[in-house]
Amino acid sequence: MASNPYRGGAAPYRSRDGLSTRTGAGSEEIQLRIDPMHSDLDDEITGLHGQVRQLKNIAQEIGSEAKFQRDFLDELQMTLIRAQAGVKNNIRKLNLSIIQSGNNHIMHVVLFALFCFFILYMWSKMFKR
């Protein structure tokens, strides 16, 4: 009697101790036989069903969180675009104001310096003995 490398004479499709497969007579059909000694498969299937349900809930929560964060980032990007437009507008107004005022600020600085020198000159003439 030749030794079969698979337990219980099952084909290589055997997945658990309670399941074994046989090929049909001359066809490519597979017959499945459930061993009544291992009836805990229903419990395992129920447990797997619960785990699949939990994973589905987690995936849905991840999807809703991703949607919330995407919406938040879109809103933040729009706010940033509006702020950049405001800053650009204010810079343009400042540049126009500087151009319109021309070189008046330089003239004011020169006049102030001349006024200070005049005061110092007068003060030195008054208190000179």
Side-chain angles (χ1 to χ4, degrees), residues 34-82:
I34 299 176
D35 190 2
M37 295 296 291
H38 298 37
S39 61
D40 61 340
L41 292 177
D42 289 338
D43 295 337
E44 287 186 35
I45 291 172
T46 304
L48 288 174
H49 181 67
Q51 289 177 351
V52 167
R53 190 178 318 118
Q54 284 179 338
L55 288 174
K56 181 182 174 184
N57 291 339
I58 290 171
Q60 288 174 346
E61 288 179 19
I62 289 172
S64 65
E65 180 67 23
K67 183 185 180 307
F68 172 76
Q69 289 184 2
R70 183 181 61 237
D71 293 342
F72 179 73
L73 286 175
D74 289 343
E75 184 179 329
L76 189 62
Q77 187 175 14
M78 288 303 296
T79 303
L80 184 62
I81 289 170
R82 279 189 241 120

